[in-house]
Amino acid sequence: DVKVTQSSRYLVKRTGEKVFLECVQDMDHENMFWYRQDPGLGLRLIYFSYDVKMKEKGDIPEGYSVSREKKERFSLILESASTNQTSMYLCASSSLAGGRNEQFFGPGTRLTVL
Amino acid sequence: LAKTTQPISMDSYEGQEVNITCSHNNIATNDYITWYQQFPSQGPRFIIQGYKTKVTNEVASLFIPADRKSSTLSLPRVSLSDTAVYYCLVGEPDKLIFGTGTRLQVFP
């Protein structure tokens, strides 16, 4: 089974801190994604990556950056955390091998910025 | 990217069939239609995907009319454990747009 793990389930940070959210997948997937989920807004795509060292902006990239130095790892960085970045963050990975469009999600990180 | 519209919420009772319809009027030729399920405090989980006509797997069926401007997810004989949010997504395989989903509540 595909496994996507995220470094923390719950995280509390202070305004202005630099925050790193780590995501690791074990199925050699090419594609990785970061979403945030807020009540009433569904999932919104922050950044995605098709390959190592490649990144593409999603719908809401402002205030975030990403890093993909290895194929299995995709990091989301909050350069200077703000209270409006309090949210649930979900990482996902996928592969087009076999032609099926399926993203596998991690359990999520609930980030609170005070 | 095609935008989807689906009901905000639906209620059902155990044992009933539930049909959730999604509208996607500007679907593109290369777009697939994919449905995900999400339980509280978990990431979404793939349910079913289709391009046209009907697709069926062990948990659901997906009906897509010829014009592909809508699709219907059918859940046969729902149980309490089917209470979740269901997302309809339309797009090319490497980028999906999640909407707000349909919150399905199943009552005993």
mmCIF file with all atom_site columns, all heavy atoms in Angstrom, chain B residues 10-16 78-80 83 104-108:
data_model
loop_
_atom_site.group_PDB
_atom_site.id
_atom_site.type_symbol
_atom_site.label_atom_id
_atom_site.label_alt_id
_atom_site.label_comp_id
_atom_site.label_asym_id
_atom_site.label_entity_id
_atom_site.label_seq_id
_atom_site.pdbx_PDB_ins_code
_atom_site.Cartn_x
_atom_site.Cartn_y
_atom_site.Cartn_z
_atom_site.occupancy
_atom_site.B_iso_or_equiv
_atom_site.pdbx_formal_charge
_atom_site.auth_seq_id
_atom_site.auth_comp_id
_atom_site.auth_asym_id
_atom_site.auth_atom_id
_atom_site.pdbx_PDB_model_num
ATOM 1   N N   . MET B 1 10  ? -26.307 16.459 1.995  1.00 0.00 ? 10  MET B N   1
ATOM 2   C CA  . MET B 1 10  ? -27.389 15.516 1.717  1.00 0.00 ? 10  MET B CA  1
ATOM 3   C C   . MET B 1 10  ? -27.578 14.635 2.938  1.00 0.00 ? 10  MET B C   1
ATOM 4   O O   . MET B 1 10  ? -26.609 14.323 3.647  1.00 0.00 ? 10  MET B O   1
ATOM 5   C CB  . MET B 1 10  ? -27.062 14.628 0.514  1.00 0.00 ? 10  MET B CB  1
ATOM 6   C CG  . MET B 1 10  ? -26.953 15.352 -0.803 1.00 0.00 ? 10  MET B CG  1
ATOM 7   S SD  . MET B 1 10  ? -26.602 14.230 -2.171 1.00 0.00 ? 10  MET B SD  1
ATOM 8   C CE  . MET B 1 10  ? -28.127 13.324 -2.270 1.00 0.00 ? 10  MET B CE  1
ATOM 9   N N   . ASP B 1 11  ? -28.816 14.230 3.166  1.00 0.00 ? 11  ASP B N   1
ATOM 10  C CA  . ASP B 1 11  ? -29.130 13.303 4.247  1.00 0.00 ? 11  ASP B CA  1
ATOM 11  C C   . ASP B 1 11  ? -29.695 12.016 3.672  1.00 0.00 ? 11  ASP B C   1
ATOM 12  O O   . ASP B 1 11  ? -30.369 12.037 2.644  1.00 0.00 ? 11  ASP B O   1
ATOM 13  C CB  . ASP B 1 11  ? -30.155 13.910 5.214  1.00 0.00 ? 11  ASP B CB  1
ATOM 14  C CG  . ASP B 1 11  ? -29.605 15.090 5.982  1.00 0.00 ? 11  ASP B CG  1
ATOM 15  O OD1 . ASP B 1 11  ? -28.371 15.161 6.154  1.00 0.00 ? 11  ASP B OD1 1
ATOM 16  O OD2 . ASP B 1 11  ? -30.399 15.945 6.403  1.00 0.00 ? 11  ASP B OD2 1
ATOM 17  N N   . SER B 1 12  ? -29.412 10.913 4.328  1.00 0.00 ? 12  SER B N   1
ATOM 18  C CA  . SER B 1 12  ? -29.967 9.640  3.898  1.00 0.00 ? 12  SER B CA  1
ATOM 19  C C   . SER B 1 12  ? -30.126 8.739  5.120  1.00 0.00 ? 12  SER B C   1
ATOM 20  O O   . SER B 1 12  ? -29.673 9.054  6.217  1.00 0.00 ? 12  SER B O   1
ATOM 21  C CB  . SER B 1 12  ? -29.052 8.987  2.865  1.00 0.00 ? 12  SER B CB  1
ATOM 22  O OG  . SER B 1 12  ? -29.615 7.764  2.401  1.00 0.00 ? 12  SER B OG  1
ATOM 23  N N   . TYR B 1 13  ? -30.755 7.589  4.891  1.00 0.00 ? 13  TYR B N   1
ATOM 24  C CA  . TYR B 1 13  ? -30.905 6.587  5.946  1.00 0.00 ? 13  TYR B CA  1
ATOM 25  C C   . TYR B 1 13  ? -30.168 5.326  5.527  1.00 0.00 ? 13  TYR B C   1
ATOM 26  O O   . TYR B 1 13  ? -29.969 5.061  4.338  1.00 0.00 ? 13  TYR B O   1
ATOM 27  C CB  . TYR B 1 13  ? -32.377 6.292  6.201  1.00 0.00 ? 13  TYR B CB  1
ATOM 28  C CG  . TYR B 1 13  ? -33.098 7.444  6.849  1.00 0.00 ? 13  TYR B CG  1
ATOM 29  C CD1 . TYR B 1 13  ? -33.792 8.371  6.079  1.00 0.00 ? 13  TYR B CD1 1
ATOM 30  C CD2 . TYR B 1 13  ? -33.070 7.612  8.230  1.00 0.00 ? 13  TYR B CD2 1
ATOM 31  C CE1 . TYR B 1 13  ? -34.450 9.442  6.667  1.00 0.00 ? 13  TYR B CE1 1
ATOM 32  C CE2 . TYR B 1 13  ? -33.716 8.682  8.832  1.00 0.00 ? 13  TYR B CE2 1
ATOM 33  C CZ  . TYR B 1 13  ? -34.400 9.592  8.048  1.00 0.00 ? 13  TYR B CZ  1
ATOM 34  O OH  . TYR B 1 13  ? -35.035 10.646 8.631  1.00 0.00 ? 13  TYR B OH  1
ATOM 35  N N   . GLU B 1 14  ? -29.781 4.569  6.514  1.00 0.00 ? 14  GLU B N   1
ATOM 36  C CA  . GLU B 1 14  ? -29.086 3.316  6.236  1.00 0.00 ? 14  GLU B CA  1
ATOM 37  C C   . GLU B 1 14  ? -29.888 2.442  5.277  1.00 0.00 ? 14  GLU B C   1
ATOM 38  O O   . GLU B 1 14  ? -31.103 2.345  5.385  1.00 0.00 ? 14  GLU B O   1
ATOM 39  C CB  . GLU B 1 14  ? -28.864 2.546  7.543  1.00 0.00 ? 14  GLU B CB  1
ATOM 40  C CG  . GLU B 1 14  ? -27.719 3.051  8.375  1.00 0.00 ? 14  GLU B CG  1
ATOM 41  C CD  . GLU B 1 14  ? -27.374 2.091  9.500  1.00 0.00 ? 14  GLU B CD  1
ATOM 42  O OE1 . GLU B 1 14  ? -28.220 1.930  10.404 1.00 0.00 ? 14  GLU B OE1 1
ATOM 43  O OE2 . GLU B 1 14  ? -26.302 1.499  9.465  1.00 0.00 ? 14  GLU B OE2 1
ATOM 44  N N   . GLY B 1 15  ? -29.184 1.810  4.357  1.00 0.00 ? 15  GLY B N   1
ATOM 45  C CA  . GLY B 1 15  ? -29.822 0.892  3.426  1.00 0.00 ? 15  GLY B CA  1
ATOM 46  C C   . GLY B 1 15  ? -30.331 1.529  2.151  1.00 0.00 ? 15  GLY B C   1
ATOM 47  O O   . GLY B 1 15  ? -30.654 0.821  1.194  1.00 0.00 ? 15  GLY B O   1
ATOM 48  N N   . GLN B 1 16  ? -30.385 2.861  2.128  1.00 0.00 ? 16  GLN B N   1
ATOM 49  C CA  . GLN B 1 16  ? -30.853 3.536  0.926  1.00 0.00 ? 16  GLN B CA  1
ATOM 50  C C   . GLN B 1 16  ? -29.731 3.730  -0.082 1.00 0.00 ? 16  GLN B C   1
ATOM 51  O O   . GLN B 1 16  ? -28.538 3.695  0.268  1.00 0.00 ? 16  GLN B O   1
ATOM 52  C CB  . GLN B 1 16  ? -31.450 4.897  1.284  1.00 0.00 ? 16  GLN B CB  1
ATOM 53  C CG  . GLN B 1 16  ? -32.764 4.819  2.028  1.00 0.00 ? 16  GLN B CG  1
ATOM 54  C CD  . GLN B 1 16  ? -33.421 6.188  2.189  1.00 0.00 ? 16  GLN B CD  1
ATOM 55  O OE1 . GLN B 1 16  ? -32.740 7.214  2.190  1.00 0.00 ? 16  GLN B OE1 1
ATOM 56  N NE2 . GLN B 1 16  ? -34.726 6.187  2.316  1.00 0.00 ? 16  GLN B NE2 1
ATOM 57  N N   . VAL B 1 78  ? -26.296 2.602  1.578  1.00 0.00 ? 78  VAL B N   1
ATOM 58  C CA  . VAL B 1 78  ? -25.327 3.268  2.449  1.00 0.00 ? 78  VAL B CA  1
ATOM 59  C C   . VAL B 1 78  ? -25.473 2.782  3.893  1.00 0.00 ? 78  VAL B C   1
ATOM 60  O O   . VAL B 1 78  ? -26.541 2.348  4.333  1.00 0.00 ? 78  VAL B O   1
ATOM 61  C CB  . VAL B 1 78  ? -25.469 4.797  2.394  1.00 0.00 ? 78  VAL B CB  1
ATOM 62  C CG1 . VAL B 1 78  ? -25.097 5.301  1.002  1.00 0.00 ? 78  VAL B CG1 1
ATOM 63  C CG2 . VAL B 1 78  ? -26.858 5.253  2.795  1.00 0.00 ? 78  VAL B CG2 1
ATOM 64  N N   . SER B 1 79  ? -24.380 2.890  4.620  1.00 0.00 ? 79  SER B N   1
ATOM 65  C CA  . SER B 1 79  ? -24.369 2.585  6.044  1.00 0.00 ? 79  SER B CA  1
ATOM 66  C C   . SER B 1 79  ? -23.879 3.813  6.794  1.00 0.00 ? 79  SER B C   1
ATOM 67  O O   . SER B 1 79  ? -23.469 4.804  6.196  1.00 0.00 ? 79  SER B O   1
ATOM 68  C CB  . SER B 1 79  ? -23.454 1.391  6.321  1.00 0.00 ? 79  SER B CB  1
ATOM 69  O OG  . SER B 1 79  ? -22.111 1.734  6.011  1.00 0.00 ? 79  SER B OG  1
ATOM 70  N N   . LEU B 1 80  ? -23.917 3.746  8.113  1.00 0.00 ? 80  LEU B N   1
ATOM 71  C CA  . LEU B 1 80  ? -23.481 4.879  8.933  1.00 0.00 ? 80  LEU B CA  1
ATOM 72  C C   . LEU B 1 80  ? -22.046 5.277  8.611  1.00 0.00 ? 80  LEU B C   1
ATOM 73  O O   . LEU B 1 80  ? -21.682 6.454  8.678  1.00 0.00 ? 80  LEU B O   1
ATOM 74  C CB  . LEU B 1 80  ? -23.616 4.538  10.420 1.00 0.00 ? 80  LEU B CB  1
ATOM 75  C CG  . LEU B 1 80  ? -25.035 4.311  10.930 1.00 0.00 ? 80  LEU B CG  1
ATOM 76  C CD1 . LEU B 1 80  ? -24.993 3.883  12.396 1.00 0.00 ? 80  LEU B CD1 1
ATOM 77  C CD2 . LEU B 1 80  ? -25.890 5.548  10.754 1.00 0.00 ? 80  LEU B CD2 1
ATOM 78  N N   . THR B 1 83  ? -20.992 8.131  6.151  1.00 0.00 ? 83  THR B N   1
ATOM 79  C CA  . THR B 1 83  ? -21.073 9.549  6.518  1.00 0.00 ? 83  THR B CA  1
ATOM 80  C C   . THR B 1 83  ? -19.704 10.190 6.322  1.00 0.00 ? 83  THR B C   1
ATOM 81  O O   . THR B 1 83  ? -18.719 9.793  6.944  1.00 0.00 ? 83  THR B O   1
ATOM 82  C CB  . THR B 1 83  ? -21.523 9.708  7.985  1.00 0.00 ? 83  THR B CB  1
ATOM 83  O OG1 . THR B 1 83  ? -22.874 9.267  8.109  1.00 0.00 ? 83  THR B OG1 1
ATOM 84  C CG2 . THR B 1 83  ? -21.427 11.164 8.420  1.00 0.00 ? 83  THR B CG2 1
ATOM 85  N N   . LEU B 1 104 ? -22.354 14.235 3.259  1.00 0.00 ? 104 LEU B N   1
ATOM 86  C CA  . LEU B 1 104 ? -23.404 13.219 3.348  1.00 0.00 ? 104 LEU B CA  1
ATOM 87  C C   . LEU B 1 104 ? -23.532 12.755 4.795  1.00 0.00 ? 104 LEU B C   1
ATOM 88  O O   . LEU B 1 104 ? -22.551 12.339 5.405  1.00 0.00 ? 104 LEU B O   1
ATOM 89  C CB  . LEU B 1 104 ? -23.090 12.021 2.450  1.00 0.00 ? 104 LEU B CB  1
ATOM 90  C CG  . LEU B 1 104 ? -24.022 10.818 2.590  1.00 0.00 ? 104 LEU B CG  1
ATOM 91  C CD1 . LEU B 1 104 ? -25.435 11.177 2.128  1.00 0.00 ? 104 LEU B CD1 1
ATOM 92  C CD2 . LEU B 1 104 ? -23.492 9.627  1.808  1.00 0.00 ? 104 LEU B CD2 1
ATOM 93  N N   . GLN B 1 105 ? -24.740 12.856 5.321  1.00 0.00 ? 105 GLN B N   1
ATOM 94  C CA  . GLN B 1 105 ? -25.037 12.364 6.662  1.00 0.00 ? 105 GLN B CA  1
ATOM 95  C C   . GLN B 1 105 ? -25.992 11.184 6.541  1.00 0.00 ? 105 GLN B C   1
ATOM 96  O O   . GLN B 1 105 ? -27.070 11.320 5.959  1.00 0.00 ? 105 GLN B O   1
ATOM 97  C CB  . GLN B 1 105 ? -25.680 13.468 7.504  1.00 0.00 ? 105 GLN B CB  1
ATOM 98  C CG  . GLN B 1 105 ? -26.047 13.043 8.914  1.00 0.00 ? 105 GLN B CG  1
ATOM 99  C CD  . GLN B 1 105 ? -24.838 12.808 9.786  1.00 0.00 ? 105 GLN B CD  1
ATOM 100 O OE1 . GLN B 1 105 ? -23.970 13.662 9.918  1.00 0.00 ? 105 GLN B OE1 1
ATOM 101 N NE2 . GLN B 1 105 ? -24.767 11.618 10.391 1.00 0.00 ? 105 GLN B NE2 1
ATOM 102 N N   . VAL B 1 106 ? -25.571 10.033 7.057  1.00 0.00 ? 106 VAL B N   1
ATOM 103 C CA  . VAL B 1 106 ? -26.412 8.847  7.036  1.00 0.00 ? 106 VAL B CA  1
ATOM 104 C C   . VAL B 1 106 ? -26.957 8.610  8.434  1.00 0.00 ? 106 VAL B C   1
ATOM 105 O O   . VAL B 1 106 ? -26.198 8.538  9.406  1.00 0.00 ? 106 VAL B O   1
ATOM 106 C CB  . VAL B 1 106 ? -25.627 7.606  6.552  1.00 0.00 ? 106 VAL B CB  1
ATOM 107 C CG1 . VAL B 1 106 ? -26.540 6.384  6.546  1.00 0.00 ? 106 VAL B CG1 1
ATOM 108 C CG2 . VAL B 1 106 ? -25.055 7.844  5.162  1.00 0.00 ? 106 VAL B CG2 1
ATOM 109 N N   . PHE B 1 107 ? -28.272 8.470  8.512  1.00 0.00 ? 107 PHE B N   1
ATOM 110 C CA  . PHE B 1 107 ? -28.949 8.259  9.800  1.00 0.00 ? 107 PHE B CA  1
ATOM 111 C C   . PHE B 1 107 ? -29.385 6.799  9.934  1.00 0.00 ? 107 PHE B C   1
ATOM 112 O O   . PHE B 1 107 ? -29.671 6.141  8.937  1.00 0.00 ? 107 PHE B O   1
ATOM 113 C CB  . PHE B 1 107 ? -30.167 9.176  9.911  1.00 0.00 ? 107 PHE B CB  1
ATOM 114 C CG  . PHE B 1 107 ? -29.831 10.629 9.946  1.00 0.00 ? 107 PHE B CG  1
ATOM 115 C CD1 . PHE B 1 107 ? -29.871 11.401 8.792  1.00 0.00 ? 107 PHE B CD1 1
ATOM 116 C CD2 . PHE B 1 107 ? -29.481 11.237 11.145 1.00 0.00 ? 107 PHE B CD2 1
ATOM 117 C CE1 . PHE B 1 107 ? -29.559 12.753 8.819  1.00 0.00 ? 107 PHE B CE1 1
ATOM 118 C CE2 . PHE B 1 107 ? -29.172 12.588 11.182 1.00 0.00 ? 107 PHE B CE2 1
ATOM 119 C CZ  . PHE B 1 107 ? -29.201 13.346 10.014 1.00 0.00 ? 107 PHE B CZ  1
ATOM 120 N N   . PRO B 1 108 ? -29.447 6.324  11.185 1.00 0.00 ? 108 PRO B N   1
ATOM 121 C CA  . PRO B 1 108 ? -29.882 4.931  11.392 1.00 0.00 ? 108 PRO B CA  1
ATOM 122 C C   . PRO B 1 108 ? -31.369 4.758  11.124 1.00 0.00 ? 108 PRO B C   1
ATOM 123 O O   . PRO B 1 108 ? -32.131 5.704  11.104 1.00 0.00 ? 108 PRO B O   1
ATOM 124 C CB  . PRO B 1 108 ? -29.546 4.669  12.869 1.00 0.00 ? 108 PRO B CB  1
ATOM 125 C CG  . PRO B 1 108 ? -29.390 5.988  13.496 1.00 0.00 ? 108 PRO B CG  1
ATOM 126 C CD  . PRO B 1 108 ? -28.987 6.964  12.426 1.00 0.00 ? 108 PRO B CD  1
#
